[in-house]
Amino acid sequence: MKRLLTVLAILFLFQVSVMAQTFSEICQSAENVSSDARMARLEYQSRLIALEEAELEDRTDYSVSFSVSPLEDDNRIVAVPELSFSAVLPDDDTEMTASIPFSVRYDGEGALISPSASVSHVFDWGHDDEALKALQNASTRLSVSREHESAFLTLRMNVISAIAGLLENERSMMEEKENLRDLQRALETDLRLGNLSESSLLYVEEELTIKRTEDRIRSLEEEKSELLRRFENITGLEWEGVADIPYPLFPDILSYTSSSSVEESRLYAEIAKEEYLLESSRQKPRRLMVGGTIAGDIYTGAGLGLNSAVNDRDRISALGEIGWEGKSWSFGLSGGGSWDDDYTFTPQVTLSGSWQSNSSSESDELTLRALRTDTEMRERGYLDALLSFETESAELWNRLLAWKRDFSELQADIDYRSALLENTKLRFERGLATEEDMHDAALELELLSIDRSVLLLEGLSLECEIEMHIL
């Protein structure tokens, strides 16, 4: 009998952990079945691809084009009227365009080759948008990473909440059932000993107390049904208890002076500054454009020369240009000429300019004022975010210390109750303790074990909060 009671007590204490899934298995199952987790992964990948595409916008572009007309002038001439190569080379504040087109006409006896090359370069001394693009990409990357990690931390916290709810329900159920057992035993004892009769007012009051306890048990059973449904929806598992709840690994929160959200606020302020500088530069542009072109006609053989209207004379031409551009005006100068094969030079000079009245100065000034205000607001937002981060860090640190203190005290209480249960077992074996003493000692330790599991879950939830705070 004694051995049987000892075995039953041990089974009572550890029945939850024998059949339970481990905490890590439950969390992994939740990640596998959660539609929110799948969506978070897909959105993360999609936004990263879009970001990589945006970062590849400024690249060197090349193009090649050609056309061939093999049957011209009564099928006598093979012509390549277009064969060209061009490239656009981006730079921090300049853009270079180069092209090398030429054409060929060949009739079997002679050929006309017309090569040419041109290059242009734009110097923009205004504020370029490279820094703005880099800041925007950095901000987007921070946001994408934080939202992705936050989604999984939120899922983990939901799992913790579901498990804690079931354990707390189980603890309340055990307490109420034990309370009901004690009330029923007390009433039976009083009736047996004649301390009260079924017609007495005290009997009615005790019956009412028992009924209220039974009502609370039914309410807890209904609550458990809802908690089970929630757990199954989140994890895809049937509730069998939980085992191996780990001790939280709290980050060293005081070593963090910023987070991705604070850093994003700083980037927003920097972006606002860049937008103001770009708008100011747009309103007062300073652009210098330079370029040049060289081209020629080269004859070989006699066929095309004898049948052409250009007197089969080789020639070469060169042209250079320079231009300034402001907000409402532009000025350009181009010059050069051409040389025949006898070195005869024909000059060419072109002067151009334009001006138009500016009627948008007041609107432009309002735009700048709005951008300045936005910059100040974002800078203030960054300072507020930094202060809020420091304040929340201190609050989380205090909660962490309080949790560690509570856990230490609870563990000490569990150690004491464990020793007390062992002592009660020895006393029971010697006839110095009753079965009721054994039952009470085992129940108290079981309730404390559930408290420990719930407190560990609260610590894991606090760990998630800290991780989300320092993301």
Side-chain angles (χ1 to χ4, degrees):
M1 181 63 178
K2 293 179 180 178
R3 184 182 299 274
L4 178 60
L5 285 174
T6 302
V7 172
L8 290 176
I10 293 174
L11 290 176
F12 177 75
L13 286 172
F14 298 103
Q15 61 179 328
V16 174
S17 60
V18 169
M19 299 296 293
Q21 302 105 334
T22 66
F23 178 77
S24 61
E25 289 172 344
I26 294 173
C27 289
Q28 185 60 53
S29 177
E31 289 188 12
N32 292 336
V33 304
S34 171
S35 59
D36 290 340
R38 289 196 298 272
M39 184 60 67
R41 292 190 190 97
L42 292 173
E43 187 172 351
Y44 177 68
Q45 295 170 359
S46 175
R47 294 183 67 182
L48 278 185
I49 292 172
L51 182 60
E52 290 173 0
E53 290 177 349
E55 291 174 342
L56 290 175
E57 285 183 357
D58 290 337
R59 61 181 184 269
T60 302
D61 290 328
Y62 305 96
S63 66
V64 177
S65 61
F66 73 94
S67 64
V68 179
S69 301
L71 304 173
E72 288 188 1
D73 196 8
D74 294 331
N75 301 332
R76 293 179 55 250
I77 297 176
V78 177
V80 182
E82 179 187 3
L83 177 60
S84 66
F85 165 82
S86 65
V88 178
L89 310 174
D91 199 347
D92 287 343
D93 57 358
T94 61
E95 183 178 281
M96 178 182 291
T97 302
S99 62
I100 308 175
F102 67 92
S103 63
V104 179
R105 291 169 59 81
Y106 177 69
D107 66 355
E109 297 180 12
L112 169 62
I113 304 175
S114 301
S116 66
S118 64
V119 63
S120 64
H121 203 168
V122 178
F123 296 91
D124 190 342
W125 283 286
H127 196 77
D128 62 69
D129 62 352
E130 295 300 317
L132 176 61
K133 290 179 180 178
L135 289 169
Q136 290 172 333
N137 289 339
S139 175
T140 302
R141 192 173 291 278
L142 277 176
S143 176
V144 168
S145 177
R146 184 179 68 256
E147 290 176 8
H148 176 254
E149 294 185 36
S150 294
F152 285 91
L153 286 172
T154 299
L155 176 61
R156 185 181 178 89
M157 292 176 70
N158 289 337
V159 172
I160 291 171
S161 175
I163 296 174
L166 283 164
L167 291 178
E168 289 170 345
N169 175 271
E170 180 181 338
R171 190 190 192 285
S172 298
M173 186 79 75
M174 292 173 65
E175 285 186 315
E176 292 296 342
K177 286 183 176 180
E178 182 66 14
N179 186 29
L180 178 62
R181 173 177 172 271
D182 291 341
L183 289 171
Q184 289 174 337
R185 289 182 62 191
L187 181 59
E188 291 172 359
T189 301
D190 288 341
L191 287 173
R192 185 174 65 253
L193 298 177
N195 294 333
L196 55 80
S197 64
E198 294 184 2
S199 61
S200 66
L201 181 61
L202 182 59
Y203 176 84
V204 175
E205 290 177 353
E206 290 190 9
E207 278 284 299
L208 181 60
T209 302
I210 290 174
K211 184 179 183 303
R212 288 174 176 171
T213 304
E214 291 173 340
D215 289 342
R216 286 196 296 271
I217 292 174
R218 280 193 294 270
S219 178
L220 286 170
E221 289 173 345
E222 292 174 359
E223 180 187 67
K224 184 175 182 179
S225 298
E226 177 61 24
L227 290 171
L228 288 172
R229 185 193 64 80
R230 178 175 177 239
F231 176 83
E232 292 173 5
N233 287 341
I234 293 175
T235 66
L237 299 171
E238 292 186 2
W239 172 250
E240 297 176 353
V242 59
D244 298 334
I245 301 176
Y247 188 88
L249 299 175
F250 296 110
D252 184 8
I253 188 173
L254 296 184
S255 66
Y256 290 85
T257 58
S258 182
S259 66
S260 62
S261 59
V262 175
E263 179 65 12
E264 196 170 352
S265 295
R266 185 191 68 81
L267 290 174
Y268 284 158
E270 294 295 325
I271 287 171
K273 291 179 184 178
E274 288 295 319
E275 290 173 340
Y276 172 80
L277 292 173
L278 280 173
E279 178 61 22
S280 179
S281 178
R282 184 195 67 79
Q283 293 184 20
K284 298 178 181 179
R286 291 184 300 164
R287 289 163 56 90
L288 173 65
M289 294 150 288
V290 296
T293 302
I294 184 170
D297 293 326
I298 302 173
Y299 291 88
T300 62
L304 282 169
L306 294 175
N307 291 282
S308 67
V310 294
N311 299 321
D312 66 356
R313 302 182 66 178
D314 296 340
R315 64 184 60 190
I316 187 170
S317 63
L319 182 67
E321 56 183 345
I322 185 171
W324 276 94
E325 182 180 289
K327 182 175 183 179
S328 57
W329 58 270
S330 64
F331 172 80
L333 176 65
S334 63
S338 60
W339 291 263
D340 291 336
D341 54 4
D342 60 357
Y343 303 108
T344 300
F345 176 68
T346 303
Q348 177 184 348
V349 176
T350 302
L351 180 65
S352 62
S354 66
W355 176 87
Q356 62 180 8
S357 62
N358 182 14
S359 59
S360 61
S361 57
E362 185 175 350
S363 175
D364 289 343
E365 180 59 29
L366 289 174
T367 301
L368 286 177
R369 286 171 58 186
L371 289 174
R372 280 196 297 266
T373 301
D374 188 44
T375 300
E376 293 173 0
M377 291 176 62
R378 293 193 189 185
E379 288 177 343
R380 181 62 187 177
Y382 165 62
L383 295 176
D384 289 344
L386 191 58
L387 178 61
S388 177
F389 176 83
E390 293 172 352
T391 302
E392 189 173 348
S393 293
E395 293 175 353
L396 288 170
W397 174 250
N398 290 331
R399 288 175 57 191
L400 188 156
L401 292 179
W403 182 90
K404 288 184 174 181
R405 181 175 60 251
D406 292 343
F407 186 82
S408 178
E409 293 174 355
L410 179 60
Q411 188 62 54
D413 200 5
I414 289 175
D415 293 340
Y416 168 74
R417 293 292 177 178
S418 296
L420 182 60
L421 177 60
E422 292 299 322
N423 179 265
T424 304
K425 289 178 182 178
L426 292 174
R427 292 170 56 226
F428 177 77
E429 291 175 354
R430 296 172 183 174
L432 301 177
T434 65
E435 291 185 14
E436 189 65 22
D437 294 333
M438 284 282 293
H439 173 83
D440 291 343
L443 177 64
E444 187 63 31
L445 183 57
E446 177 68 5
L447 293 176
L448 287 175
S449 297
I450 295 177
D451 289 340
R452 183 181 185 276
S453 295
V454 171
L455 193 57
L456 280 174
L457 291 170
E458 290 176 358
L460 291 171
S461 182
L462 179 58
E463 176 190 331
C464 291
E465 285 188 59
I466 294 174
E467 290 181 356
M468 292 181 72
H469 172 66
I470 62 178
L471 274 180

